[in-house]
Amino acid sequence: MGHTLRNLRQVKDLAPDAGFADIQEARFARGELDAAATGLAYHVLRPGKRQIAHRHKAAEEIVVVISGTGQANLDGELVPLDAMDALRIAPETTRSFEAGSEGLEFLVFGPHHEGDGEMIHDDVWDG
């Protein structure tokens, strides 16, 4: 078949399995879409919550805000985010997101490179 259709809200939320249910929903749809080379993630960050930071070795990402407000911390630079903003992030840039008072709902698109992501456990928000 030349296409695959999935509702992103029906993709398994992996945040509870990782211990992040109180912070966000995290739905990674690449497998369910049968995509060989393109990654797609759907995130819902709860009001006032922050993600743990990460970066990539090779994958450039595009973040598209669906609804809500917040900010991205990109190597220590705070970038305000609003609905329908699109943000390109270079692979090596350490990134984390914080939701505003109504939460932050966003999509992340990029090439899939197995084992490419690295979690950063330092608090990037405090320098």
Side-chain angles (χ1 to χ4, degrees):
M1 186 182 289
H3 71 279
T4 306
L5 176 66
R6 295 289 180 268
N7 184 297
L8 294 177
R9 289 187 176 101
Q10 295 174 353
V11 171
K12 180 178 170 62
D13 179 9
L14 297 179
D17 294 345
F20 299 126
D22 59 329
I23 297 171
Q24 69 177 24
E25 293 176 29
R27 302 172 191 274
F28 298 92
R30 183 184 64 83
E32 291 200 28
L33 288 168
D34 302 317
T38 305
L40 171 62
Y42 168 57
H43 294 277
V44 179
L45 196 53
R46 305 204 193 294
K49 298 294 185 176
R50 293 178 177 165
Q51 287 184 321
I52 290 179
H54 76 283
R55 65 179 162 231
H56 294 277
K57 294 175 189 158
E60 175 183 68
E61 293 181 326
I62 303 289
V63 175
V64 178
V65 177
I66 299 170
S67 66
T69 61
Q71 57 186 348
N73 184 329
L74 306 173
D75 284 339
E77 179 184 350
L78 299 181
V79 176
L81 298 171
D82 205 344
M84 296 311 297
D85 283 348
L87 173 67
R88 182 200 64 86
I89 305 174
E92 65 282 351
T93 301
T94 298
R95 80 277 326 254
S96 180
F97 297 88
E98 178 180 54
S101 60
E102 65 277 347
L104 186 65
E105 181 180 24
F106 59 99
L107 299 172
V108 182
F109 302 88
H112 176 74
H113 300 285
E114 195 67 39
D116 184 52
E118 174 189 5
M119 300 300 286
I120 310 296
H121 293 284
D122 296 334
D123 189 347
V124 299
W125 294 89
D126 292 331

